[in-house]
Amino acid sequence: MNTAASQPVETGTPAVRGSSDADGMAVASFLLGLPGLLVLNFVLGPAAIVLGLVALSRGTGRRGRALLGVLLGIADLVILVGLTVADHGVIWSFS
C-alpha cells in the first residue's frame, strides 16, 4: 500500500506569501517615511510607523528597512511637533 499518495501535499505557499507581505510592508514603511520628512508628515509618519511595526511582528526579511521606516515615521512626527511649536500653532492654513 502506498502511504505517500494518501497524504496531502504541502506547497509552502502561505509561508512564502506571509514573508512576501511582510517584506512589502517593510519597503512601504520606508517609502512612506522618507517623503513624510517634507510633506504630509501628519499622515505619512503614523502610516510608516504602523507598517514598520507590523512588518517586524510578522518576521520580515528586510528588518533594517522596517526599522528605518519606523525611525523615519517617528522623525516625521518630531518634525511636525517642532514646526508646530515654532510657529505657535498649526502651520497649515486653508484660507
Side-chain angles (χ1 to χ4, degrees), residues 48-88:
I49 293 169
V50 169
L51 282 173
L53 291 176
V54 170
L56 288 171
S57 70
R58 290 188 180 184
T60 181
R62 299 176 185 236
R63 183 172 171 81
R65 192 148 307 159
L67 287 172
L68 190 56
V70 170
L71 291 175
L72 284 170
I74 292 170
D76 293 349
L77 296 180
V78 168
I79 289 172
L80 173 66
V81 169
L83 290 175
T84 303
V85 168
D87 198 33
H88 305 293

Side-chain angles (χ1 to χ4, degrees), residues 5-83:
S6 63
Q7 295 178 355
V9 177
E10 294 182 20
T11 60
T13 304
V16 171
R17 182 176 179 194
S19 176
S20 175
D21 287 348
D23 290 348
M25 285 183 198
V27 172
S29 172
F30 172 72
L31 292 176
L32 289 175
L34 197 58
L37 294 172
L38 301 174
V39 294
L40 291 174
N41 45 9
F42 62 95
V43 174
L44 298 178
I49 293 169
V50 169
L51 282 173
L53 291 176
V54 170
L56 288 171
S57 70
R58 290 188 180 184
T60 181
R62 299 176 185 236
R63 183 172 171 81
R65 192 148 307 159
L67 287 172
L68 190 56
V70 170
L71 291 175
L72 284 170
I74 292 170
D76 293 349
L77 296 180
V78 168
I79 289 172
L80 173 66
V81 169
L83 290 175

